Amino acid sequence: MISQGIITAAGLGTRMLPISKEIPKEMLPVPFNGELKPIVQVIFEQLYDNGVKDFIFVVSKNKRVIEDYFTPDYDFVNYLEFKGKIEQSRGLKQFYRKIEKSNLAFVNQHEPKGFGDAVLRAEPYANQEFLVAAADTIVKDFKLEEMNVNSFLVTKVDDPRSYGVVTMNGNRVADVEEKPKVPKSNLIIVPYYVFDRRIFTSLKSVDYKDELQLTCGIKKLIRDGVEFTAVEVSQVYDLGNFKGYVEYVKSGI
């Protein structure tokens, strides 16, 4: 059973400018189960409900607000109760209980060097097997139990050129390619992965210029004979861009 999750939240968020200049995109509010919550809280709670209790958040120097948000503030809870705002205090207390039953660590990505580099920042603290999730993508009804070690989620889109594209050989992943100009399929990676520690060795062996992509590390492992599988999902919301954010809010989840 996978009990550790690495949540990456260090990107610049340029697709959500100008609001992401001051507010991390991962902290933007979305409706969820009748409450307005930051995106990263929704993802944390989904993983928690799937049995993940050890969390590593990869953040940048401009995203300390995420660490502050995940620090329980019972003085505020007591103030709400004193003012008779019982429903609001109840929601916060439920969130804080989940935090207190978890182990949380925050590590820093010093420069925006890509998704793969963000995952590498967590290497010293990672278990033998762990989940990686991007803090700007929500998968409705996410089920970790459907994923094996060395697997990731996929979904079909009309235009896959801006994503990591997947080609399959039966139930096995045959290849992955980051943002190809001529995609070989319309199946793309949804940034929820389960890895073992070989991904770190693979990422460190990738030769790159500006950004280290996680897709490159996966591609090398596949070429080295590591078998990857994919789990297809349908209700995926990329909240790191305006269109996806609006689509999610309109869905009223």
Side-chain angles (χ1 to χ4, degrees), residues 53-228:
K53 297 298 184 289
D54 295 325
F55 292 87
I56 301 170
F57 293 83
V58 183
V59 296
S60 65
K61 63 181 181 179
N62 297 322
K63 300 197 177 183
R64 301 304 181 197
V65 64
I66 297 176
E67 185 172 355
D68 291 341
Y69 188 79
F70 279 84
T71 302
D73 182 358
Y74 282 106
D75 287 339
F76 186 55
V77 170
N78 293 336
Y79 172 80
L80 289 174
E81 292 178 341
F82 176 75
K83 290 293 186 179
K85 299 183 182 297
I86 304 303
E87 188 63 32
Q88 293 89 333
S89 67
R90 183 181 296 117
L92 274 178
K93 285 197 291 187
Q94 290 173 348
F95 175 46
Y96 290 165
R97 288 191 194 105
K98 292 180 180 180
I99 292 174
E100 290 169 344
K101 291 180 180 179
S102 304
N103 298 312
L104 276 62
F106 292 82
V107 298
N108 189 45
Q109 185 185 28
H110 306 290
E111 299 178 61
K113 291 185 177 181
F115 194 7
D117 181 76
V119 173
L120 266 180
R121 299 309 100 203
E123 180 186 11
Y125 316 101
N127 294 341
Q128 181 59 39
E129 298 170 350
F130 51 90
L131 174 141
V132 171
D136 61 1
T137 302
I138 292 177
V139 178
K140 187 179 181 183
D141 300 326
F142 171 69
K143 292 180 176 62
L144 180 54
E145 64 186 20
E146 297 179 353
M147 301 181 70
N148 300 316
V149 177
N150 294 321
S151 69
F152 47 79
L153 302 185
V154 295
T155 195
K156 291 185 175 71
V157 297
D158 294 331
D159 185 359
R161 290 175 295 176
S162 298
Y163 301 92
V165 176
V166 183
T167 52
M168 301 293 296
N169 182 7
N171 294 325
R172 297 175 57 183
V173 177
D175 197 14
V176 294
E177 191 173 6
E178 184 68 22
K179 299 177 182 177
K181 293 181 179 179
V182 183
K184 297 177 182 178
S185 81
N186 67 336
L187 200 63
I188 66 165
I189 296 176
V190 176
Y192 283 66
Y193 314 77
V194 175
F195 293 116
D196 60 37
R197 289 186 60 86
R198 285 179 290 182
I199 188 63
F200 297 126
T201 303
S202 182
L203 286 169
K204 286 186 283 189
S205 69
V206 173
D207 185 23
Y208 69 99
K209 289 185 178 181
D210 298 320
E211 293 190 349
L212 174 59
Q213 297 298 337
L214 188 55
T215 309
C216 296
I218 296 171
K219 188 180 188 76
K220 188 175 188 308
L221 285 175
I222 292 172
R223 289 181 173 177
D224 290 343
V226 177
E227 182 175 325
F228 273 80

